[in-house]
Amino acid sequence: MPENDTPISKAQALKQFLTEHPDASPREAGEALVAQGFQITSAYVSVVQAKLEAARRSGDGVNDLLLTLGKAQVDAMFRRQNDYPVDDSEFLPLVEAVLTAFKTAGIDQDVVEAVWEYAFHGYDRACKEAAPESTTADNRRLMQSYLLGKPRKNRKR
């Protein structure tokens, strides 16, 4: 049992220990918890570490899935714009609304930024099809001029 007499399971105690000591070996973790009064083996520690690692990796898979979803949404919006064009002053705030929802939903910041970059790339490509002499920097500034939200450092306004 932990020293503060708060009853927690050995799994909870192990997870807490591994969070505080991510580089600890199974033996070190087991010995530390035995010293706290838990009956635990290094084999049990190895199993829990493997499960925690698998859960962490599945989090990466979720981010990959969310990035794929975001890119698919951007592609769908640009296809719709290509088939049924509206003025950029109407279209780009809609793109912004969809991409801002990624941030407000609490999706990983790296995923949010990657989807924004994908949208900027799509807009740049569309602008260059319409006006081949346009530059990427000019097209980025043009897209940003239509966005309604506050400028963000990462979006390079």
Side-chain angles (χ1 to χ4, degrees), residues 3-4 6 10 25-26 32 45 55 60 62 67 71 74 76 79 86 94 98 102 104-105 118 132 137-138 149 152 155:
E3 294 171 5
N4 65 5
T6 304
K10 70 178 175 182
S25 71
V45 173
D60 292 344
V62 168
L67 180 58
K71 288 179 176 182
V74 168
R79 273 193 311 277
V86 295
L94 294 174
V98 170
F102 270 70
T104 57
Y118 189 78
D138 289 340
R152 289 190 8 226
R155 264 201 251 141

Side-chain angles (χ1 to χ4, degrees), residues 11-156:
Q12 290 171 317
L14 179 56
K15 287 176 187 178
Q16 182 178 340
F17 180 84
L18 292 174
T19 300
E20 294 169 2
H21 306 92
D23 296 328
S25 71
R27 181 175 169 220
E28 293 167 335
E31 289 173 355
L33 291 173
V34 166
Q36 293 178 20
F38 289 98
Q39 291 183 346
I40 194 166
T41 65
S42 58
Y44 178 77
V45 173
S46 294
V47 169
V48 171
Q49 280 180 320
K51 287 182 179 182
L52 291 173
E53 180 61 23
R56 187 195 63 76
R57 277 196 213 125
S58 72
D60 292 344
V62 168
N63 284 343
D64 291 344
L65 179 63
L66 290 170
L67 180 58
T68 300
L69 172 64
K71 288 179 176 182
Q73 288 177 317
V74 168
D75 288 342
M77 288 184 286
F78 277 93
R79 273 193 311 277
R80 172 91 168 137
Q81 173 67 347
N82 198 35
D83 293 342
Y84 305 98
V86 295
D87 188 75
D88 284 355
S89 65
E90 296 174 15
F91 170 67
L92 292 173
L94 294 174
V95 172
E96 179 181 26
V98 170
L99 299 185
T100 300
F102 270 70
K103 181 179 180 183
T104 57
I107 293 173
D108 184 86
Q109 185 63 31
D110 291 339
V111 172
V112 173
E113 289 304 322
V115 174
W116 268 106
E117 282 304 313
Y118 189 78
F120 281 128
H121 177 73
Y123 187 71
D124 180 50
R125 189 174 52 245
C127 288
K128 287 182 177 174
E129 286 174 10
E133 69 282 357
S134 65
T135 68
T136 297
D138 289 340
N139 295 337
R140 182 179 285 272
R141 279 191 295 276
L142 181 60
M143 182 176 176
Q144 290 169 336
S145 73
Y146 290 113
L147 302 179
L148 304 174
K150 291 193 289 187
R152 289 190 8 226
K153 226 196 253 187
N154 294 356
R155 264 201 251 141
K156 303 172 190 166

